[in-house]
Amino acid sequence: MSLLGKAGHAPAARESGFAAHRAGVDRLLASYRAIPEHANVRLAKKTSNLFRARAKNTAPGLDVSGLTRVIAVDPAAKTADVAGMTTYEELVAATLPYGLAPLVVPQLKTITLGGAVTGLGIESTSFRNGLPHESVLEMDVLTGAGEILTATPDNEHADLFRGFPNSYGTLGYTVRLKIQLEEVQPYVALRHVRFRDVRELETTLAAIVTDRAYQGETVDYLDGVVFSAEESYLTLGRRTDEPGPVSDYTGMDVYYRSLQHEGATPKRDRLTIHDYLWRWDTDWFWCSRAFGTQNPKIRRFWPKRYRRSSFYWKLVALDHKYAIGDKLEARKGNPPRERVVQDIEVPLERTADFVEWFLREIPIEPVWLCPLRLRDTGGPNRPGGRAWPLYPLEPDRTYVNVGFWSAVPTTPGQPQGAANRAIERTVTEFDGHKSLYSDSFYDKDEFAALYGGNTYTELKKRYDPDQRLLDLYSKAVQRK
């Protein structure tokens, strides 16, 4: 039964959706042909959720304006065909009326499905559903060679299917993705469990991931927040259709502050499934505090339509363009601050080690925790499951994503990116990986060892033989 009792897409609606999609593909291909042969191929896209600078490009870009829609939803098969530049905000709006949602919905509304697959994504279902690319059944990819190829787990382009996650547009761009969906309920019942020691949190997290339950109650969604070494929380969500009051964190109340409490008894709360999926977007986790939005006197007059991550991102882009923050620090007699905006993964058993090191060495709080396990762990005829060579996590092993997004004071005489470099070294020492959406400082050999090596080189030769697209190191580290 759907949340709104809505029927599935009729054949005529499906055909209309695919016809509009084909028109968008035609515009895309025409724009590819208009790019000079000597120029790198890039997207003509005004918005982004990347936090690393990149060189300006004077050549025309790919026209993806016709690839921003949900093409069709099949509620019986629990699948959706989605254009690559469709945001999760649009995708969720199309699937929730059927009582369905993507298996993993990244936290920010303007992340695109194609972006989450080529650049990875994560959320509180990842301890049971893995990462967004694991729910992809097939995808159409515009390669650097200008071909649109359909890649599936077992066709002639299976190597592209496996190598596409974490390639960040250096092997091609998704035109269409067919993804699996899962049933959801109208509400999510929450328990916020407090810990006064991150090692106790780590032990409890491991048990919940294994049992999918806590104190006899099912856990469908799982993430956490560390405020300090003495105050951290796991938030446990359970799907429910039980009617009752729900909280609203799009108004004066701030979601992450609602987690905090003193007692050992879990604090309970309830949200609609819609508001749960977007609970972090209103205040960009907690980053809205940098703009004063959490101050009640300011929040009262800050329009609701601007309380969303995409607007805060625009403010950050202005700061980067005009160095507003550095100029304000200079007026106080302080050096520029180093941006530390990162998500990393370490094995679950090293989570407390990393968090304790981070709290000791990097003056940023809070930090976000999100456990994940690869969904496909193989079987008798496929030991180890699917390989994802550009972000090689081990099957049957639990990792924890640690997210931290702020800036720290620089120290005179230290190399550029000193804090980020220290984080990279520590994550590697702890057998982890770092996402590549922000600043990176690896040398070429270490980067290759961590992110695909020879496998990536062979994929580039096959699908971008003329190097029309930037390579991953140039894009992620050299900021080209």
Side-chain angles (χ1 to χ4, degrees), residues 24-133:
V25 172
D26 289 342
R27 291 205 299 276
L28 173 73
L29 291 173
S31 68
Y32 177 90
R33 292 189 289 268
I35 299 173
E37 289 186 7
H38 66 276
N40 287 127
V41 175
R42 294 180 185 263
L43 298 180
K45 190 175 174 219
K46 295 180 180 179
T47 61
S48 172
N49 282 283
L50 296 179
F51 277 83
R52 45 180 160 77
R54 64 180 183 180
K56 291 184 178 180
N57 185 35
T58 57
L62 294 173
D63 181 356
V64 294
S65 60
L67 304 176
T68 60
R69 61 182 292 160
V70 178
I71 303 166
V73 177
D74 186 336
K78 298 179 187 175
T79 62
D81 285 276
V82 187
M85 302 300 157
T86 305
T87 66
Y88 273 92
E89 183 174 24
E90 294 294 333
L91 177 53
V92 166
T95 62
L96 279 189
Y98 304 114
L100 299 170
L103 271 62
V104 180
V105 179
Q107 313 84 355
L108 306 181
K109 292 178 177 179
T110 55
I111 293 175
T112 64
L113 177 59
V117 170
T118 194
L120 304 188
I122 191 170
E123 234 295 304
S124 59
T125 56
S126 289
F127 78 106
R128 57 183 177 82
N129 286 341
L131 299 172
H133 57 266

Side-chain angles (χ1 to χ4, degrees), residues 134-152:
E134 295 191 90
S135 63
V136 176
L137 299 172
E138 64 181 35
M139 54 184 167
D140 297 339
V141 179
L142 173 67
T143 68
E147 301 176 291
I148 293 182
L149 304 175
T150 299
T152 73

Side-chain angles (χ1 to χ4, degrees), residues 8 11 28 35 39 75-76 99 104 114 120 130-131 196 213 223 257 265 270 288 291 300 324 346 350 364 367 370 433:
L28 173 73
I35 299 173
V104 180
L120 304 188
L131 299 172
R196 301 181 188 277
D223 67 347
R257 289 298 182 191
T265 302
R270 279 167 51 90
S288 67
F291 313 111
R300 184 171 291 109
I324 297 170
V346 292
R350 302 307 303 269
I364 291 176
V367 299
C370 187
H433 276 77

